[in-house]
Amino acid sequence: MLLKKQISDSLNRCKSYRKRILEISQQVFALHLGGSYSCLEILDYIYEFHIPLRKKNKNDNIFIMSKGHSCIAQYVILENRGVIKKKELDHYCKAGGKLGCHPDYGNPGIEASTGSLGHGLALAVGICKANKIKKNNSKVFVILSDGELQEGSTWEALMMAANLELDNLICFLDHNGSQSYGVTRDEHPKFYPISNKIKSFNWETVTVDGHKIGEIDKKFYQRKTKKPFFLICNTIKGKGISYMENKPEWHYKSPTPEQYTQGLLDIENGI
Amino acid sequence: MRDKFAEVIYKFGKKNKQIAVLVADISPAGSINNFKNEFPDRFINTGVSEQSMIGIAAGLALKGMRPFCYTIATFSLYRPFEMVRVDLCYQNLPVTIIGMGSGLVYSTLGSTHHTIEDLAVATAIPNMTVLCPCDPMEMKLATEWCATKSKGPVYMRIGKRGEKDFTSNSKDKFKIGKLRKIVNGSKIAIITYGTLISMSFEIKDKLKKKGYNTAIYSCHTIKPLDENGIAKVLKKYEKVIVMEEHVPNGGLKDKILAISFKNNIKSKVYYFTLKDKFIHFYGNHKQLLNKHGLSSNKIINSIFPKK
């Protein structure tokens, strides 16, 4: 179980990540703010408690951002950890910079190129299988978007992960309930329930509040089986910014200078 | 060719623990069972799910393995195209895709199972190497290269089974990226690839009776293409015949004509491809090729019209 201090430290880190992302939003338009804010706590949890600060050996756990469009959230964490330099992030999406709007394999801390949805899970299945073949105990952590579950390829990978008995695969679903076109429940009512579908593909499945790392951690260690593990994390798109929360248009939109100021206040005061 | 693949991959799988084989509910016969039985960990049947076959192979390669993905050519490249492009080529991973039964080999199964535009598709992707061995012997050498030397993704287009060897007395050695002379000749040369090599030998034999010695070249590497080698052949022979089991767009013919133009070469290039058409015609492989206009007699008659 996490200590109170660990939880409050995480909340503080996430505050500073939200501010840094907002700051970047004033320099470039190419941002997916809503979906980045929804997965920040999950991401912070994975990095802080499961990914070593410096890659030491081939047995280290790794992380794959399958919802590549939210990689700005990954970048600010990698910056805080010293994996990405401030100067590099300052050049995000700018000519001469190496960090783009989607993760690029070969960049520091980036284990796979994603951005086209429905690719990350199969890549993770392959990596987990390679770890099994090489008798290496490391785990692979993945964050999927809920929209990504509409890709058939995601279900192929879900099926194969179970077939290959990959207990070293842990998948977090950033279930923020909205996507580019609108609110998922309105656009695709038969998409729900999610949990039963994943369970029926032979994954151990739990549901958790994706903004509470204490709860995430508890569920993580209450795992009961050796099946691949799926955590449906209920989250809020645009979490932390009053005018963004649960507004699908903030999937891909940049705040005005006034909205930026308001956003900083929201983050500081905790809405 | 598929039996040769199974034999070679088993041999390399024994030596190298990084070799893995992924199949999507289609398996090469013969020795592949040896591979599966001896290295069950490194043999994955994804079932009828080609997208995951490519994605999983990419994941294996990210951890240093050298996977081979094997299924019918159409399903190896078209169905999982974006996984091939992003997971393999964008990340530049050493994964080999074996497209089995390419061209019109699955003659009676119809156009869903014909692979007639794969070179246009595969050669268009950055980082991709494209190989088309012409017989089981070339298939063996190409597979060896993929198992030991390739640095990035490879699409290898192969036939199915029962192909004869044509390259045992070849003039040139097999070298990836080099046009390979199989038979000497003068004045006339044929450049082809893949299983159509058998038709080029028919043409050579028939032209011999007319008094011509026809050279035959196997263009087993379509990408990177041996532009210098091709330019030399275009300069050396009066007539160059390009034959391919591929639609007219984006295949070898286009690339050779571009080389001829670029080098201002005057020799006559005769080219024969499949039609830009899905045909609704069933029969054996040869009959389908004939329906598309590819037969030794048709080719000879168009080069030497009867007066």
Side-chain angles (χ1 to χ4, degrees):
Chain A
M1 206 162 84
L2 296 184
L3 303 170
K4 273 189 181 164
K5 166 118 182 27
Q6 288 174 309
I7 293 173
S8 65
D9 284 352
S10 168
L11 287 172
N12 286 333
R13 277 194 304 274
C14 288
K15 256 189 186 182
S16 69
Y17 296 147
R18 285 195 164 83
K19 283 184 193 165
R20 178 71 166 125
I21 293 171
L22 209 61
E23 191 184 289
I24 294 165
S25 79
Q26 298 303 291
Q27 297 163 29
V28 287
F29 295 109
L31 273 183
H32 293 82
L33 288 173
S36 301
Y37 283 162
S38 64
C39 66
L40 257 181
E41 281 78 14
I42 308 168
L43 204 48
D44 180 67
Y45 171 73
I46 294 171
Y47 271 106
E48 187 65 18
F49 299 104
H50 299 285
I51 309 285
L53 198 56
R54 290 271 179 272
K55 225 177 170 178
K56 289 188 199 87
N57 60 51
K58 56 183 188 209
N59 290 321
D60 289 340
N61 295 337
I62 65 164
F63 168 69
I64 288 180
M65 188 65 143
S66 190
K67 48 174 293 190
H69 57 281
S70 296
C71 69
I72 190 67
Q74 194 182 1
Y75 291 160
V76 294
I77 293 179
L78 290 172
E79 179 190 41
N80 186 45
R81 306 185 116 210
V83 177
I84 287 177
K85 295 188 185 100
K86 180 175 183 300
K87 204 173 126 190
E88 287 168 340
L89 193 52
D90 286 341
H91 281 81
Y92 169 78
C93 284
K94 291 179 186 163
K98 61 180 180 183
L99 301 175
C101 202
H102 294 108
D104 212 342
Y105 174 56
N107 270 334
I110 302 301
E111 305 284 354
S113 295
T114 54
S116 174
L117 298 177
H119 289 245
L121 195 58
L123 292 171
V125 169
I127 295 171
C128 286
K129 178 64 183 169
N131 286 343
K132 292 269 179 196
I133 293 169
K134 292 166 186 255
K135 306 205 186 318
N136 163 346
N137 287 324
S138 71
K139 296 187 181 75
V140 180
F141 291 77
V142 181
I143 295 185
L144 285 187
S145 73
D146 43 6
E148 220 174 347
L149 283 180
Q150 292 158 3
E151 294 280 8
S153 55
T154 300
W155 296 94
E156 289 188 9
L158 283 164
M159 181 180 71
M160 281 310 295
N163 270 334
L164 296 170
E165 301 178 337
L166 301 176
D167 58 348
N168 50 353
L169 177 55
I170 295 116
C171 187
F172 294 77
L173 182 73
D174 179 10
H175 180 224
N176 60 33
S178 74
Q179 50 195 108
S180 187
Y181 193 86
V183 173
T184 310
R185 203 170 278 283
D186 299 338
E187 295 298 322
H188 307 281
K190 300 295 181 280
F191 180 65
Y192 297 95
I194 295 173
S195 176
N196 292 349
K197 293 186 180 73
I198 310 285
K199 261 185 210 160
S200 72
F201 272 63
N202 262 297
W203 283 58
E204 181 170 343
T205 309
V206 296
T207 302
V208 63
D209 181 331
H211 296 299
K212 294 191 171 153
I213 69 156
E215 258 191 50
I216 296 175
D217 185 70
K218 209 167 127 189
K219 295 271 185 177
F220 184 84
Y221 286 104
Q222 283 174 349
R223 190 174 172 186
K224 295 179 184 73
T225 68
K226 292 224 156 203
K227 294 175 179 179
F229 195 25
F230 200 95
L231 295 96
I232 299 172
C233 301
N234 291 326
T235 58
I236 294 169
K237 195 149 186 168
K239 168 77 178 173
I241 314 276
S242 55
Y243 54 85
M244 279 188 206
E245 287 199 351
N246 288 325
K247 299 273 183 352
E249 64 264 30
W250 284 98
H251 180 78
Y252 193 86
K253 195 175 154 182
S254 280
T256 61
E258 295 74 33
Q259 286 171 325
Y260 167 68
T261 312
Q262 176 63 47
L264 285 180
L265 283 173
D266 289 346
I267 295 166
E268 197 45 55
N269 300 332
I271 54 159
Chain B
M1 281 195 195
R2 63 180 186 186
D3 295 340
K4 187 57 85 179
F5 169 73
E7 183 190 314
V8 176
I9 206 69
Y10 171 64
K11 190 180 113 193
F12 279 95
K14 258 187 145 161
K15 280 194 225 166
N16 182 350
K17 288 186 177 165
Q18 308 302 332
I19 303 274
V21 175
L22 292 91
V23 302
D25 202 41
I26 294 285
S27 170
S31 316
I32 206 69
N33 277 333
N34 296 340
F35 189 101
K36 187 184 169 186
N37 295 336
E38 274 189 51
F39 323 113
D41 246 12
R42 292 190 271 134
F43 182 88
I44 302 171
N45 176 10
T46 60
V48 192
S49 82
E50 294 82 4
Q51 299 178 90
S52 80
M53 173 175 74
I54 301 295
I56 292 170
L60 292 168
L62 283 168
K63 293 300 271 184
M65 301 196 66
R66 298 182 77 85
F68 283 73
C69 297
Y70 179 101
T71 188
I72 296 177
T74 49
F75 312 130
S76 75
L77 187 65
Y78 305 154
R79 171 64 69 99
F81 174 72
E82 208 210 19
M83 282 69 192
V84 172
R85 176 179 178 268
V86 176
D87 301 350
L88 304 188
C89 295
Y90 183 35
Q91 302 190 109
N92 201 16
L93 299 173
V95 175
T96 300
I97 299 169
I98 305 287
M100 187 268 294
S102 61
L104 302 168
V105 168
Y106 279 102
S107 59
T108 55
L109 299 192
S111 290
T112 54
H113 284 59
H114 297 161
T115 316
I116 56 176
E117 55 291 88
D118 52 341
L119 299 190
V121 170
T123 58
I125 320 172
N127 286 338
M128 184 67 114
T129 294
V130 179
L131 304 180
C132 300
C134 72
D135 66 356
M137 288 181 89
E138 278 200 352
M139 164 82 204
K140 175 175 175 270
L141 298 166
T143 306
E144 279 177 11
W145 182 82
C146 295
T148 56
K149 295 204 174 74
S150 67
K151 299 261 193 303
V154 179
Y155 171 70
M156 195 195 302
R157 171 195 236 247
I158 69 166
K160 198 177 162 200
R161 65 185 308 185
E163 292 89 355
K164 282 187 214 153
D165 277 321
F166 290 93
T167 58
S168 33
N169 299 315
S170 174
K171 296 296 159 197
D172 291 347
K173 284 199 168 149
F174 178 90
K175 198 169 173 227
I176 294 292
K178 290 283 170 211
L179 186 67
R180 184 184 191 200
K181 191 199 274 182
I182 308 297
V183 179
N184 275 336
S186 57
K187 292 188 182 169
I188 303 177
I190 297 174
I191 304 178
T192 190
Y193 58 81
T195 54
L196 216 53
I197 194 87
S198 62
M199 194 183 289
S200 73
F201 272 82
E202 275 177 41
I203 293 171
K204 176 189 78 84
D205 293 344
K206 286 177 182 171
L207 288 179
K208 180 89 184 165
K209 287 176 190 156
K210 289 179 183 276
Y212 298 102
N213 283 325
T214 309
I216 296 175
Y217 288 84
S218 164
C219 189
H220 50 72
T221 308
I222 304 291
K223 187 182 178 185
L225 192 62
D226 182 6
E227 293 199 15
N228 289 336
I230 288 171
K232 275 184 198 160
V233 170
L234 292 173
K235 283 177 192 158
K236 186 175 171 190
Y237 300 90
E238 285 171 16
K239 296 179 197 299
V240 176
I241 304 168
V242 180
M243 303 164 36
E244 62 179 330
E245 196 170 338
H246 190 276
V247 292
N249 292 312
L252 181 63
K253 171 268 283 181
D254 284 356
K255 300 177 207 305
I256 289 185
L257 290 179
I259 293 169
S260 173
F261 179 78
K262 199 168 130 188
N263 292 279
N264 202 16
I265 298 169
K266 303 286 181 235
S267 63
K268 177 81 181 155
V269 178
Y270 299 84
Y271 50 84
F272 303 91
T273 69
L274 300 179
K275 291 175 183 166
D276 183 18
K277 236 181 185 178
F278 292 113
I279 59 167
H280 298 268
F281 174 87
Y282 303 93
N284 65 31
H285 185 194
K286 213 166 178 176
Q287 287 164 330
L288 262 78
L289 287 171
N290 186 44
K291 189 75 181 169
H292 268 283
L294 288 181
S295 79
S296 55
N297 286 340
K298 280 180 180 167
I299 289 172
I300 291 169
N301 290 341
S302 80
I303 299 170
F304 300 101
K306 285 175 187 161
K307 282 164 195 162

